[in-house]
Amino acid sequence: MINNFVPRSFGALAASGLLFASAAVASSAGVPPAGEDSGELVNIEFGKWMLVALGAFAGIPLIYRLVSVVYCQIRLMASLGLENQTYFSSHKHEWVSWLKINILYAPFWKNRHNRELQISRALDIGTLPTRFESFFLIGYVVGNIVFSLHKIDWDGQTTAILGEIRNRTGVLSTINLVPLFLLAGRNNPLIQLMGISFDTYNLVHRWLGRIVVTEAFAHSACWAAAKVMNGGWAPVGAAIQGSVFIQMGFVGTCAFVFLMCHSPSSLRHAFYETFLFLHIVAAAVALGGLWMHLDYKKYRWLVYVKIAIALWVFDRSVRLFRIIYRNIGKRMTTATVEILPGEAIRVTLKLARPWKFRPGQHVYLYVPSVGLWTSHPFTIAWGEQLQQNHKIDDERLSFHRQDLMHIGEKTMSLVIRRRTGFTNALFNKADRTPNKVITLKALAEGPYGKVDSLASYGTVVLVAGGVGITHPVPHIRELVEGYAKGTVATKRIVLVWVVQSPEHLEWIRPWMTDILAMERRREVLEIQLFVTRPSSTKAIHSPSATVQMFPGRPNIDTILDREIDRRMGTMGVTVCGSGSLSDDVRRAVRAKMDIANIDFIEEAFSW
Ligand SMILES: Cc1cc2nc3c(=O)[nH]c(=O)nc-3n(C[C@H](O)[C@H](O)[C@H](O)COP(=O)(O)OP(=O)(O)OC[C@H]3O[C@@H](n4cnc5c(N)ncnc54)[C@H](O)[C@@H]3O)c2cc1C
């Protein structure tokens, strides 16, 4: 269930920031027992507090998630059967809308969040976090700085000070590996438990990575600086050459620094596959170096490296198990790839073993004959359990030629926009066949991604741009079905889909045909199609009062104003599309938060 009242992961980061501060205070009070190295004791103590802070990463958002799930469930139960859900249609407390407008949904600066910051058309430097995300990311960074520098004997000799900072940053860098690796995995249970999107986890993963690398670099720099102060650069070179302990630490630090240097947004996006491969290799080298460095002197901190490796092995093992279990049975999973107009393909997966997915979830697709090791995420647009006695309707025959091939099988379908790598190769493979349809052996790994139920919203507005339509389609199906059965609070669903050309409508035509034929659909679903580059005005025609087509871009403010005027209950507004569309919807929702109780849910197709 969704209640975006508080973004989940950052409640935890907040707590960790506070815990950092309290840890620093608590540790100030500690007096080391006689005979113990006081510096080491402080490090151990800080290490413990760091773990407590990391525990808050999981604990507080988990509690929040539980509360929000219960709240949504109560709202759903209270709304069922009610024609009018007035109680939930506006905020009961002004501070809630203030919080949403200014903190929770607010981009760091003005209105830009998902649209990438670009230096030039070819060079982007990433996206800006939200204000709430920034607040806690800064808190975490500040917490690490405090931990690195607090309780250092600043009156001592410079080399002694450097030694203390070296030890502290080394310890912190090692402990931070645990959340770093936890947030790197696809099978991170926290994604499901806390309902946080994978791109938010990636954001936190990137920041944790920056912290780990900075601390590792500071650790090595302090060591080198102290050596240089004592005897120039010669002892530094000699130590690197002559000591396995130093050599391995040096290898680890170099690999960490490489990891940071090759990860900027523009490089990542331009060469994703190469980036991923190098990232894994460099991470393995970094961990290997660090392991040997710590093991050489039997440092207690080695346990954190072991935990990080265990997390990685766990993730990879679960992935392997999922791939084998889901795709290899009496037959292997196959993918039927069909060329669609507008540089897109529809991929229908005929699964070796049937499995379920929830709206908004995605799979990783492997097609060994196109790319042996690569896997790419795609939102599951449609799933079907076809029966042997499936009625073949002549009128719909053209839309269901793949379904006919798959009678009796569980299928899942994706719509994929052609890009320049794997998707391009897949497109070309189908395009080269006479019928523009090809069936290939494939592996589907999933389902992944947070589960968002929109069932407790009285009014749901789903905005999609281009291939972002794969996100709302399963939601609409679920809500219309729920409306007919009386199992959802939703009384009104509006789909706003922005496409460049009318031919893009073909991407989801078979599924839309099914949705439009669903029981009581007319009472609840309205579709507004916006065609930004119509070939002629003749191409723009509205088939019915509930399915309308317009030329140009939508005015999100006007659409929301209209829906707010006629809303029932709490409004859920979702968006999945380009960065500028997402930012526009976010801006419009924030502008109207004072008038109506609106939750905003954003899905991004990139990280
Ligand atoms: C959760 C999620 C759901 C998605 N759902 C859809 C969908 O339903 N339909 C659709 O057309 N696209 C979807 N995408 C985008 C799709 O994954 C990429 O367009 C695709 O991986 C590009 O492959 P390529 O090799 O042709 O890319 P390239 O042309 O090489 O790169 C294009 C972009 O895709 C990114 N990319 C490339 N490879 C990967 C990868 N393995 N993992 C993640 N990103 C990658 C690159 O960073 C770059 O920004 C989704 C992405 C995510 C994260």
Side-chain angles (χ1 to χ4, degrees):
M1 296 274 176
I2 295 174
N3 182 343
N4 276 7
F5 176 57
V6 176
R8 286 92 173 164
S9 63
F10 296 100
L13 274 170
S16 30
L18 289 174
L19 281 164
F20 273 130
S22 50
V25 173
S27 67
S28 315
V31 181
E36 292 275 9
D37 175 344
S38 65
E40 185 66 359
L41 277 172
V42 171
N43 288 343
I44 293 168
E45 199 178 341
F46 274 23
K48 268 192 267 170
W49 277 100
M50 182 89 163
L51 285 177
V52 175
L54 292 174
F57 243 116
I60 293 182
L62 268 180
I63 294 168
Y64 169 73
R65 173 73 169 167
L66 194 70
V67 170
S68 75
V69 166
V70 171
Y71 177 74
C72 285
Q73 200 59 34
I74 291 171
R75 188 169 65 199
L76 173 63
M77 302 310 283
S79 308
L80 283 183
L82 288 182
E83 254 329 296
N84 183 334
Q85 302 166 23
T86 321
Y87 179 81
F88 297 110
S89 64
S90 43
H91 289 292
K92 293 286 155 292
H93 306 283
E94 253 178 44
W95 63 267
V96 177
S97 58
W98 184 92
L99 211 63
K100 285 183 181 177
I101 296 166
N102 297 296
I103 310 284
L104 302 179
Y105 299 154
F108 182 72
W109 184 249
K110 293 194 175 168
N111 296 317
R112 197 174 191 133
H113 171 58
N114 210 346
R115 189 156 60 98
E116 292 193 323
L117 293 165
Q118 288 189 316
I119 292 176
S120 70
R121 272 177 74 90
L123 197 64
D124 70 78
I125 50 171
T127 52
L128 277 179
T130 64
R131 238 169 254 173
F132 200 69
E133 288 167 353
S134 321
F135 182 63
F136 292 109
L137 286 172
I138 291 168
Y140 200 76
V141 171
V142 170
N144 269 271
I145 295 172
V146 170
F147 260 176
S148 301
L149 302 178
H150 183 64
K151 282 209 94 184
I152 301 286
D153 181 10
W154 295 104
D155 296 329
Q157 284 190 342
T158 311
T159 48
I161 294 173
L162 286 171
E164 283 187 62
I165 300 175
R166 179 200 65 207
N167 290 348
R168 192 72 62 74
T169 48
V171 169
L172 290 177
S173 173
T174 310
I175 294 177
N176 271 322
L177 284 174
V178 174
L180 179 71
F181 273 74
L182 181 67
L183 299 189
R186 286 181 194 172
N187 290 290
N188 173 359
L190 300 180
I191 292 181
Q192 223 36 274
L193 285 170
M194 297 176 202
I196 302 171
S197 68
F198 200 39
D199 58 319
T200 304
Y201 269 103
N202 271 293
L203 176 86
V204 182
H205 170 78
R206 286 197 293 275
W207 276 97
L208 282 168
R210 285 167 197 143
I211 292 171
V212 165
V213 175
T214 309
E215 286 168 346
F217 184 77
H219 172 76
S220 302
C222 287
W223 167 81
K227 278 249 180 263
V228 171
M229 286 178 83
N230 279 337
W233 283 99
V236 175
I240 292 174
Q241 278 176 12
S243 152
V244 175
F245 172 66
I246 299 295
Q247 251 167 31
M248 289 301 110
F250 184 68
V251 167
T253 302
C254 289
F256 275 129
V257 172
F258 171 79
L259 279 164
M260 185 138 102
C261 293
H262 90 134
S263 300
S265 171
S266 49
L267 284 181
R268 217 172 49 232
H269 287 300
F271 313 102
Y272 189 82
E273 294 301 338
T274 316
F275 156 79
L276 196 62
F277 175 75
L278 290 177
H279 206 67
I280 293 169
V281 172
V285 173
L287 285 194
L290 183 57
W291 177 304
M292 292 173 79
H293 178 67
L294 295 173
D295 191 43
Y296 194 84
K297 294 215 174 169
K298 302 287 172 233
Y299 281 127
R300 66 178 75 226
W301 314 110
L302 180 61
V303 69
Y304 297 104
V305 181
K306 290 181 181 171
I307 295 173
I309 293 173
L311 287 170
W312 189 83
V313 171
F314 170 78
D315 181 57
R316 291 282 155 167
S317 310
V318 174
R319 279 175 60 180
L320 187 67
F321 173 77
R322 267 176 195 253
I323 292 172
I324 294 172
Y325 179 75
R326 297 245 191 259
N327 300 287
I328 301 169
K330 282 185 193 147
R331 279 173 315 192
M332 231 183 115
T333 297
T334 57
T336 300
V337 184
E338 182 189 4
I339 297 284
L340 296 173
E343 300 279 285
I345 46 180
R346 182 161 43 233
V347 175
T348 305
L349 295 164
K350 184 178 165 188
L351 303 164
R353 274 199 192 85
W355 43 280
K356 286 188 178 156
F357 75 99
R358 295 297 313 278
Q361 290 197 297
H362 58 273
V363 282
Y364 283 85
L365 178 67
Y366 301 71
V367 182
S369 59
V370 173
L372 195 56
W373 298 111
T374 64
S375 65
H376 293 256
F378 299 103
T379 304
I380 307 166
W382 198 257
E384 212 146 345
Q385 179 70 70
L386 295 169
Q387 305 298 319
Q388 287 295 349
N389 60 359
H390 186 70
K391 191 168 162 273
I392 299 170
D393 177 341
D394 281 347
E395 277 172 29
R396 288 164 54 190
L397 194 61
S398 59
F399 298 136
H400 285 260
R401 61 178 186 273
Q402 291 173 49
D403 296 349
L404 292 174
M405 286 187 270
H406 297 153
I407 280 177
E409 298 291 341
K410 176 96 181 168
T411 65
M412 269 178 199
S413 302
L414 321 168
V415 175
I416 300 179
R417 191 81 203 265
R418 180 191 198 178
R419 310 276 175 201
T420 58
F422 168 83
T423 54
N424 184 41
L426 202 56
F427 183 98
N428 287 337
K429 220 166 170 104
D431 200 33
R432 280 196 289 268
T433 62
N435 298 333
K436 310 287 181 202
V437 179
I438 189 169
T439 299
L440 303 164
K441 289 216 170 6
L443 302 165
E445 182 197 332
Y448 287 113
K450 64 189 170 118
V451 174
D452 290 336
S453 167
L454 303 176
S456 67
Y457 295 103
T459 308
V460 176
V461 179
L462 306 116
V463 184
V467 79
I469 190 64
T470 53
H471 184 257
V473 165
H475 278 296
I476 295 172
R477 185 193 201 184
E478 189 175 84
L479 290 176
V480 174
E481 198 176 294
Y483 175 79
K485 289 182 183 161
T487 54
V488 297
T490 313
K491 296 281 183 279
R492 182 161 170 76
I493 309 162
V494 180
L495 169 67
V496 179
W497 186 23
V498 191
V499 288
Q500 286 177 355
S501 147
E503 61 181 15
H504 294 180
L505 305 182
E506 184 58 34
W507 296 352
I508 56 160
R509 193 180 295 278
W511 311 321
M512 253 324 148
T513 308
D514 282 1
I515 287 177
L516 293 178
M518 283 171 83
E519 200 185 335
R520 301 182 66 191
R521 187 278 306 174
R522 276 176 197 283
E523 296 168 27
V524 67
L525 175 65
E526 185 178 311
I527 299 174
Q528 299 178 16
L529 305 166
F530 288 84
V531 183
T532 56
R533 292 183 210 160
S535 50
S536 73
T537 45
K538 278 191 196 150
I540 306 295
H541 58 90
S542 300
S544 71
T546 52
V547 182
Q548 295 193 307
M549 202 187 278
F550 307 95
R553 294 179 190 286
N555 183 325
I556 301 293
D557 287 286
T558 312
I559 292 171
L560 286 187
D561 283 339
R562 181 170 166 258
E563 294 314 316
I564 286 171
D565 282 349
R566 52 161 75 176
R567 76 186 180 279
M568 257 175 248
T570 308
M571 269 179 84
V573 177
T574 76
V575 62
C576 183
S578 66
S580 53
L581 180 68
S582 296
D583 287 354
D584 196 28
V585 176
R586 178 184 288 270
R587 178 202 53 72
V589 167
R590 284 174 63 219
K592 287 157 208 334
M593 202 69 83
D594 277 337
I595 324 167
N597 185 3
I598 314 178
D599 279 349
F600 174 69
I601 301 121
E602 182 182 59
E603 181 66 29
F605 276 0
S606 69
W607 46 66

